Amino acid sequence: GGFFMHARGGLQTDYMGREWMDNVTAGIDEGCKRGMYAWGYDENGWPSGFGSGVVNGMGERYQQKYLRWEWVDQAVETPRTIACVPHGGRVMHFYYEVNPFYVDLLDPEVTREFLRCTHERYRDELGTAFRDMAGFFTDEPQVSRNGIPWSLLLPDAYRERYGEELSALLPGLFREEGEWKRTRFRFWQLVRDMFADHFMKQLYDWCEENGVLLTG
């Protein structure tokens, strides 16, 4: 069998520091001696993707977002406004809320930074020991755990995929009226594909190119 070298609660060693890398190297060496597969764990805790705070620490673009809405009497404009949609004499104000503690896994730049600060550091700092590591374990990456996910890339991606503006269709994500079933199917299909292509496929491609496996 094998084992995952996993940062858990109570960790005293500096995560990804010199001593950490020395300990990982020792684990890989011992695995080789015992005929066991040593796997790198790709996060300090979970869910995977935030690089122990490095990636979400790069600013709001990189942080996880959720789609929210509220009734207003007239159109408003805030730094996080997505759209104002007239509806029955009032206005539905759509905006996004930010979770600063996690990241937007629909944005490929987020994944590139995650790979840079985690996987590439393992590769570069472990040296020859990296070749003896079986691969990486990724753990519970989350598109959402608190409502409908949002990404700054979604409006352009929706337009490119379906040839129509997402902003005018946003009420259908919350209210069962008009072509709401069509809107929801298209929206969630796009979210799924963006997550698969921009996060999971990038991890897979990186591991494939660097001669290690990916599991999770």
Side-chain angles (χ1 to χ4, degrees):
F3 52 92
F4 301 108
M5 294 172 283
H6 186 347
R8 304 293 297 202
L11 179 70
Q12 296 179 0
T13 304
D14 180 30
Y15 178 68
M16 299 295 281
R18 185 64 264 161
E19 185 181 358
W20 173 269
M21 292 297 179
D22 289 344
N23 290 339
V24 170
T25 299
I28 295 171
D29 291 344
E30 190 66 18
C32 290
K33 293 174 185 176
R34 294 174 178 267
M36 300 174 71
Y37 295 108
W39 292 79
Y41 189 89
D42 71 1
E43 191 54 83
N44 183 11
W46 68 92
S48 293
F50 66 103
S52 191
V54 172
V55 182
N56 51 306
M58 296 179 68
E60 189 170 291
R61 173 196 168 165
Y62 296 84
Q63 294 165 356
Q64 187 177 52
K65 301 169 187 68
Y66 291 99
L67 177 62
R68 307 293 193 218
W69 76 279
E70 62 184 354
W71 287 113
V72 293
D73 293 326
Q74 59 185 10
V76 297
E77 184 70 32
T78 74
R80 295 179 179 175
T81 292
I82 298 168
C84 288
V85 181
H87 193 285
R90 299 188 73 190
V91 175
M92 295 180 72
H93 173 226
F94 292 92
Y95 60 98
Y96 64 87
E97 186 177 272
V98 175
N99 170 18
F101 303 107
Y102 194 52
V103 290
D104 176 9
L105 297 188
L106 306 183
D107 187 336
E109 178 62 22
V110 169
T111 307
R112 283 193 287 271
E113 289 298 329
F114 174 55
L115 289 167
R116 181 188 61 78
C117 72
T118 304
H119 297 63
E120 292 179 9
R121 282 194 60 191
Y122 274 114
R123 180 196 63 194
D124 297 343
E125 296 189 29
L126 291 179
T128 57
F130 180 79
R131 296 197 299 269
D132 294 322
M133 192 168 72
F136 285 99
F137 184 102
T138 193
D139 199 1
E140 300 183 13
Q142 295 176 358
V143 173
S144 168
R145 62 180 299 168
N146 190 26
I148 296 178
W150 187 254
S151 172
L152 301 179
L153 304 182
L154 267 168
D156 288 344
Y158 196 95
R159 184 187 309 111
E160 183 177 345
R161 169 75 70 90
Y162 303 116
E164 57 185 357
E165 296 298 325
L166 176 58
S167 59
L169 304 172
L170 291 176
L173 296 178
F174 296 92
R175 301 172 65 86
E176 296 182 1
E177 53 193 34
E179 296 187 344
W180 62 275
K181 291 183 179 180
R182 173 176 174 270
T183 297
R184 293 185 191 186
F185 179 85
R186 287 184 164 190
F187 178 85
W188 287 107
Q189 181 184 58
L190 180 59
V191 167
R192 177 202 65 190
D193 291 348
M194 291 175 72
F195 169 71
D197 292 340
H198 295 168
F199 184 74
M200 292 306 306
K201 188 175 186 301
Q202 276 206 75
L203 296 191
Y204 173 83
D205 288 346
W206 190 94
C207 289
E208 184 82 356
E209 292 165 7
N210 287 275
V212 293
L213 301 174
L214 173 66
T215 190

